[in-house]
Amino acid sequence: MPNVLHRIALIDGIETFYREAGPADAPVLLLPHGYPCSSYEFRNLIPRLADRWRLLAPDFPGCGYSGTPEGFAYDFDGYARFLEQFAEATGAQRFALYLHDFGSQIGLRLAIRRPTRIAALIVQNGDIYEDQLGPGYDPLKTYWANPTPAEKAKLAEAITLEGYRHEFLNGSEGNVGARIPPDLWTLHWALTDERRRAIALEVIAGLKENRDWFPRYQAWLREHRPPTLILWGPNDSYMPAGAARAYLRDLPDAEVHLFEDGGHWLLETHLDQAVERIRDFLGRVHTA
């Protein structure tokens, strides 16, 4: 398999860790990660596609091996601006975009900012339809309805080693859950100091403002109709099967694949099946 390169770059003065593989002149797949993860979530996908595509996966500020600078806007707009600057710095002028977890909303804000850059979308358990939010959102809905310090403190209770474990096992049980390595929560928790915990709490609390952007994301999809592949693990307490099918309201031509025993982290549990569909899709819509 092609080698994956592990690099450090200064992006707007921020020490940024990222993973890269593939020919420099190949069409690009940009891989923004989700919570509470990092570019580590793409470590197995990247070499499987790097024969035909250039893969770029950064750690967002305050995540993984990137810096946690003072003065950075640790919100969805700040991350979207950072992702745009990262694409510019790495020479990615046009790219397919992988949308997963909170990386989906960050990526869509970038798409709204720079629509001509987007060649295609791969959506994997990234929710933008309020009426399809699963029961995992119930604690957040309680906070949104009553945003008191006491309710916010309850959200902070999930930013723990056990909370990370719960996030990474979300929707994966039995033999499927056994495919998810404990490295995911132990390594990411080891990198989560007190300041990063505070940042994570503000990002989670800020999901209410992000929810208000859902109609804007949907409008962008209706207007631009990018080629879209939807891969979904429906055993996801936050994003059940209906959250995947809802994309067809705005993207009726999207290709939808549900992995019936899959949860939130398909690249850990269903990598071979996901790679097969991604290669087929990108081979048709995003080639040099």
Side-chain angles (χ1 to χ4, degrees), residues 189-210:
W189 180 249
L191 294 169
T192 306
D193 58 16
E194 182 177 356
R195 183 150 180 266
R196 286 187 170 193
R197 291 196 293 274
I199 290 168
L201 177 58
E202 294 305 318
V203 171
I204 292 169
L207 285 169
K208 180 179 181 180
E209 183 267 344
N210 184 61

Side-chain angles (χ1 to χ4, degrees), residues 28-34 41-42 45 49 55-57 60 83 95-108 118 120-126 229-232 259 264-268 270-271 274-275 278 281-282:
V28 172
L29 176 58
L30 186 59
L31 300 160
H33 63 82
E41 77 169 272
F42 300 111
L45 177 68
L49 300 175
L55 292 299
L56 293 167
F60 285 118
L83 189 61
F95 40 82
L97 193 55
Y98 194 102
L99 304 180
H100 175 238
D101 195 85
F102 84 164
S104 58
Q105 292 95 24
I106 294 166
L108 284 170
I118 309 305
L121 300 178
I122 300 169
V123 184
Q124 192 256 294
N125 291 70
L229 172 68
I230 298 171
L231 306 175
W232 213 270
F259 298 82
H264 191 70
W265 300 90
L266 289 179
L267 297 184
E268 302 295 333
H270 294 73
L271 179 66
V275 167
I278 292 170
F281 172 72
L282 291 179

Side-chain angles (χ1 to χ4, degrees), residues 82-188:
F82 167 84
L83 189 61
E84 180 182 358
Q85 292 170 324
F86 173 79
E88 290 278 357
T90 53
Q93 296 299 310
R94 184 168 166 79
F95 40 82
L97 193 55
Y98 194 102
L99 304 180
H100 175 238
D101 195 85
F102 84 164
S104 58
Q105 292 95 24
I106 294 166
L108 284 170
R109 291 197 190 204
L110 171 57
I112 290 170
R113 292 166 61 89
R114 295 289 184 266
T116 60
R117 301 282 181 89
I118 309 305
L121 300 178
I122 300 169
V123 184
Q124 192 256 294
N125 291 70
D127 52 339
I128 60 167
Y129 294 91
E130 185 173 359
D131 64 319
Q132 296 298 321
L133 299 180
Y137 271 96
D138 288 350
L140 276 168
K141 289 179 179 179
T142 299
Y143 172 72
W144 294 341
N146 185 31
T148 64
E151 291 297 334
K152 190 174 184 180
K154 291 180 182 178
L155 297 181
E157 293 173 3
I159 308 173
T160 62
L161 176 60
E162 181 57 30
Y164 276 23
R165 179 179 180 275
H166 174 77
E167 292 289 338
F168 283 115
L169 290 176
N170 176 15
S172 299
E173 299 177 348
N175 287 335
V176 175
R179 300 173 197 165
I180 296 181
D183 313 48
L184 282 165
W185 55 88
T186 55
L187 293 178
H188 286 92

Side-chain angles (χ1 to χ4, degrees), residues 7-11 13-18 86 89-90:
R7 300 189 185 278
I8 297 288
L10 283 180
I11 307 297
I14 301 168
E15 188 173 273
T16 301
F17 175 87
Y18 68 100
F86 173 79
T90 53

Side-chain angles (χ1 to χ4, degrees), residues 37-59:
C37 206
S38 65
S39 62
Y40 187 75
E41 77 169 272
F42 300 111
R43 70 197 182 284
N44 296 320
L45 177 68
I46 290 172
R48 300 284 289 272
L49 300 175
D51 59 325
R52 294 188 61 186
W53 293 277
R54 183 184 178 209
L55 292 299
L56 293 167
D59 288 355

